[in-house]
Amino acid sequence: MSTFYDRFVSLIEQKISPLAGRLGQQKYIQAIRDGFIAALPFMIVGSFMLVFIYPPFSPQTQWGFARAWLDFASTYQTQLLLPFQLSMGLMTLFISVGIGASLARQNGLDPVTTGLLCLMAFMLVAAPVKEGAISMQYFSGQGIFTALLTAIYASEMYALLKRRNVTIKLPPQVPTGVARSFEVLIPVLVIILTLHPLNLLIESSTGMILPQAIMSLVEPLVAASDSLPAMLLAVLLCQILWFAGIHGALIVTGIMNPFWMANLANNQAAMAAGEALPHIFLQGFWDHYLLIGGVGSTLPLAFLLLRSKAAHLRSIGKMGVVPGLFNINEPILFGAPIVMNPVFFLPFILVPMINATLAWFALDLGLVARVASLTPWTTPGPIGASWAANWAISPAVMSVLCMCSAAVMYYPFLKAYERTLLKQEADDQSDEAVSAPMATANAR
């Protein structure tokens, strides 16, 4: 075991860590992550509106309060849908601006100007005008990949033109805001003259505009992302990186966010149509079944540490329980520690993978409601699981079962580690007992 562990650590240090570090610092992954973070408040509030539009009660209920709520939601559905449509329904607009602003900071450009440029680039190809009205079809999850590509293209084209001095420069006496407006004229023109003809060409040859063509190309990837093997691979990568002390969740979620958002939009569309929700592996699944208390589902471990016989582990448990309730577990990861600790290697890797498998089959068999809303990742597990599934009870029960499963799997490894620490504490006390008389004698 020791030889295997040494080889594994060596592989992480020599191969995986450098690769993960380069991937995590890759500017486009950073920009995509920043774009989703910028759009997150709008999407969370928009998702929260779903509970008012689709109350968590059976349509056949005769309970007075539930019946009144259902009737109210049915009567005023159009009015209640507006905040949702102008938040979740416009997610790609927020994401385009967020990605543009992030790349602008990395390229030394003005974030506001670049964000607006990226927004224009996306609207140019994804907002066809039909009968005098702009279609919003691709402003939600259907246009997510188009938003990523157009934002990257527009910001990089702006940066390239500025590096080559292909801009309109005004004298220094001109106010900065006015000068910046003229500076971006040529980039705007270049983007219009490249993206618009490309969109028209694709439409004339395929009958599809650019967002539709892109979705048809990535559809196999989107479908593959919502599978048990893809989920287990994502969890395994996240856990291995975190065990080496690298923030694996940032890397994995940066890659998975576009797929999660596209699938979330499909689930919400299915809910609005009164159909079964098609997708399982979404961010709410990741946060509230696999990362309960933080990466590795360490909240149950924090509660176990509170009753540890080892003073060190008890103190870590006291520090880690409250943050763990909100899925922040750095005190546990680095205080116990779990990172690079061979005793906790197996449970840290296996706990979320086993819980992922259990939860997957529970949702796949229809025993647990599926995710339909976006929730803050800091929401405590059972509450967040219920919220993400439009306040169904079954996800909260599933989250509690995952916590119990994690506690059972962590317990024997914790006891083994505890015995090691107790032996060390006993040895330290005996050394102090031996050294104390000697120090007294020397003082005399």
Side-chain angles (χ1 to χ4, degrees):
M1 175 64 184
S2 178
T3 303
F4 169 78
Y5 176 75
D6 292 339
R7 290 178 180 175
F8 180 76
V9 170
S10 177
L11 174 65
I12 291 176
E13 291 177 343
Q14 297 178 15
K15 303 293 184 181
I16 298 178
S17 293
L19 177 61
R22 289 194 295 271
L23 187 62
Q25 295 300 315
Q26 212 284 330
K27 72 175 184 177
Y28 298 128
I29 290 181
Q30 285 185 336
I32 292 171
R33 185 179 66 233
D34 293 344
F36 278 97
I37 291 174
L40 196 59
F42 306 98
M43 293 191 289
I44 289 175
V45 173
S47 292
F48 189 72
M49 291 302 299
L50 284 178
V51 73
F52 296 103
I53 305 167
Y54 306 105
F57 305 114
S58 169
Q60 288 76 37
T61 183
Q62 296 303 316
W63 180 36
F65 174 75
R67 187 72 263 157
W69 190 348
L70 286 166
D71 293 341
F72 176 83
S74 176
T75 303
Y76 297 100
Q77 187 180 70
T78 302
Q79 292 86 341
L80 292 173
L81 270 173
L82 184 61
F84 172 79
Q85 292 170 337
L86 296 181
S87 51
M88 280 296 298
L90 302 180
M91 70 163 77
T92 49
L93 305 187
F94 302 124
I95 291 169
S96 292
V97 174
I99 292 174
S102 177
L103 285 173
R105 287 189 289 268
Q106 297 182 61
N107 291 327
L109 304 173
D110 177 61
V112 175
T113 302
T114 309
L116 294 176
L117 189 65
C118 294
L119 176 62
M120 184 210 70
F122 173 71
M123 296 279 287
L124 194 64
V125 299
V129 178
K130 297 178 181 178
E131 298 178 358
I134 293 178
S135 172
M136 294 176 59
Q137 179 180 357
Y138 299 105
F139 289 180
S140 59
Q142 292 296 311
I144 195 77
F145 295 98
T146 305
L148 304 184
L149 294 175
T150 54
I152 291 172
Y153 170 73
S155 57
E156 289 299 327
M157 178 58 70
Y158 183 18
L160 175 65
L161 292 173
K162 187 168 184 179
R163 284 197 300 270
R164 301 293 177 86
N165 291 320
V166 186
T167 57
I168 298 175
K169 291 188 175 181
L170 298 181
Q173 295 79 11
V174 177
T176 304
V178 176
R180 188 180 297 125
S181 298
F182 277 85
E183 180 185 271
V184 81
L185 285 177
I186 292 179
V188 168
L189 184 62
V190 169
I191 288 168
I192 290 176
L193 292 178
T194 52
L195 285 182
H196 189 49
L198 174 64
N199 196 35
L200 294 176
L201 176 63
I202 292 174
E203 187 176 14
S204 64
S205 58
T206 66
M208 299 182 292
I209 63 173
L210 186 59
Q212 190 177 359
I214 290 174
M215 278 304 296
S216 66
L217 289 175
V218 302
E219 192 171 359
L221 286 176
V222 175
S225 70
D226 185 33
S227 64
L228 182 59
M231 178 175 59
L232 293 178
L233 179 62
V235 175
L236 178 63
L237 177 62
C238 176
Q239 297 304 116
I240 288 177
L241 293 177
W242 255 117
F243 188 76
I246 301 169
H247 203 309
L250 285 180
I251 297 174
V252 172
T253 56
I255 296 171
M256 293 302 300
N257 263 326
F259 301 98
W260 285 342
M261 289 301 108
N263 288 337
L264 178 62
N266 290 337
N267 274 14
Q268 292 176 341
M271 174 183 283
E275 302 170 354
L277 307 189
H279 299 293
I280 294 176
F281 185 38
L282 302 174
Q283 186 168 352
F285 187 101
W286 172 271
D287 287 339
H288 306 308
Y289 298 133
L290 314 184
L291 274 67
I292 304 171
V295 66
S297 291
T298 56
L299 180 59
L301 178 60
F303 284 113
L304 292 175
L305 292 178
L306 291 175
R307 299 181 62 83
S308 174
K309 297 177 182 178
H312 167 69
L313 295 181
R314 284 199 307 275
S315 63
I316 296 299
K318 292 175 183 177
M319 288 190 294
V321 163
V322 174
L325 291 173
F326 302 95
N327 302 321
I328 299 168
N329 65 342
E330 277 77 3
I332 303 292
L333 292 178
F334 297 102
I338 291 178
V339 170
M340 298 303 286
N341 185 340
V343 177
F344 286 112
F345 170 70
L346 281 178
F348 187 68
I349 300 293
L350 293 179
V351 162
M353 296 188 72
I354 291 174
N355 282 346
T357 305
L358 294 174
W360 173 275
F361 283 111
L363 271 70
D364 189 50
L365 294 172
L367 303 176
V368 176
R370 300 187 180 188
V371 173
S373 298
L374 190 64
T375 58
W377 64 270
T378 51
T379 310
I383 299 174
S386 178
W387 178 358
N390 206 29
W391 296 106
I393 300 300
S394 56
V397 175
M398 188 69 237
S399 183
V400 172
L401 290 177
C402 287
M403 293 175 65
C404 295
S405 168
V408 170
M409 287 185 277
Y410 271 119
Y411 184 75
F413 295 92
L414 171 61
K415 299 308 289 186
Y417 186 50
E418 183 183 74
R419 284 194 293 270
T420 301
L421 292 183
L422 288 174
K423 185 177 182 302
Q424 292 177 356
E425 290 178 7
D427 291 343
D428 292 341
Q429 289 176 358
S430 62
D431 290 343
E432 291 177 2
V434 171
S435 61
M438 293 179 62
T440 303
N442 291 335
R444 291 177 179 175

